[in-house]
Amino acid sequence: MMIGIGTWVTGFAASFMLVAMIGAQNTMVLRQGIRRDHVGLVVIVCILSEILLITSGTAGVGLLAARHPLVMEVLAWAGAAYLLGYAAMSFRSAAKPRAMAVTGSGSARTVILAVLAATYLNPQTYLDTMVLLGNLANRFGDPGRWIFTAGAFAASAVWFVGLGFGARALSGPLGRPTTWRWIDTGVGVLMLGLAGKLVLAA
């Protein structure tokens, strides 16, 4: 019983550390929360996406990719290119920050497509969620890997609910241009660091 709890906690901690990293998806959730624009829908899409990706990694897709160096190299370079582009956009936004509107303005379809793009067009997502978490999960064998995965699911749910609805509750101070100048600058620096890490690992 204690082993199962320890495995669950390990999965929770590993997933939480990865999902809490500032990136395209989290920035999207933060912005939607501040705008109070389909926050619940955004959170649900993110959680379901994490469940799909983590499950795929645990089921062996991540392990399969890790055993084929060419796949990993392509993902690494694609991820670096994506992160560099996102860093450039973040620095551009930081140079001309604007107040964030606190009223919803986008259609549900537009918001869903934007969240899916931020999630699935980022190769870093596959490297972290499928390959890294998948490999960690499979070290526990059966049924340990699924207990680990359940912990990872819980971490994703806690993070996205907290981020989305927390941003909604703090939409006033978080919506200020000065705040977003610091956020976008921080995101840009982090994306550059991650891109460099991927290039060095490729």
Side-chain angles (χ1 to χ4, degrees):
M1 183 65 177
M2 291 301 296
I3 295 177
I5 294 174
T7 302
W8 187 94
V9 171
T10 302
F12 184 98
S15 179
F16 195 88
M17 285 188 291
L18 289 176
V19 77
M21 292 181 64
I22 296 176
Q25 187 185 51
N26 283 336
T27 305
M28 174 75 185
V29 176
L30 190 59
R31 289 181 186 276
Q32 292 302 121
I34 293 172
R35 290 171 175 160
R36 299 177 182 173
D37 188 9
H38 301 292
V39 181
L41 181 61
V42 169
V43 168
I44 289 172
V45 171
C46 287
I47 292 174
L48 291 178
S49 294
E50 288 293 306
I51 288 175
L52 174 62
L53 291 168
I54 294 171
T55 300
S56 297
T58 303
V61 176
L63 193 61
L64 183 64
R67 289 177 176 174
H68 291 78
L70 181 59
V71 174
M72 296 296 291
E73 187 172 348
V74 170
L75 278 175
W77 283 103
Y82 177 90
L83 293 171
L84 287 173
Y86 201 89
M89 290 191 297
S90 296
F91 287 132
R92 188 165 59 245
S93 295
K96 297 180 179 179
R98 294 180 297 175
M100 192 71 63
V102 295
T103 55
S105 58
S107 68
R109 180 176 180 274
T110 299
V111 169
I112 289 175
L113 290 176
V115 177
L116 291 176
T119 302
Y120 292 101
L121 294 183
N122 179 8
Q124 179 72 32
T125 298
Y126 302 100
L127 288 169
D128 287 345
T129 310
M130 289 179 63
V131 178
L132 181 55
L133 277 181
N135 283 333
L136 287 174
N138 279 288
R139 291 180 183 179
F140 291 92
D142 284 317
R145 62 176 179 160
W146 295 109
I147 297 174
F148 177 99
T149 300
F153 291 165
S156 295
V158 168
W159 172 255
F160 286 118
V161 169
L163 181 63
F165 289 99
R168 179 176 178 175
L170 299 173
S171 58
L174 288 178
R176 296 170 185 163
T178 304
T179 302
W180 274 96
R181 170 174 281 141
W182 284 105
I183 291 175
D184 283 326
T185 299
V187 169
V189 171
L190 181 58
M191 295 301 101
L192 285 178
L194 290 174
K197 181 180 177 181
L198 286 178
V199 170
L200 292 174

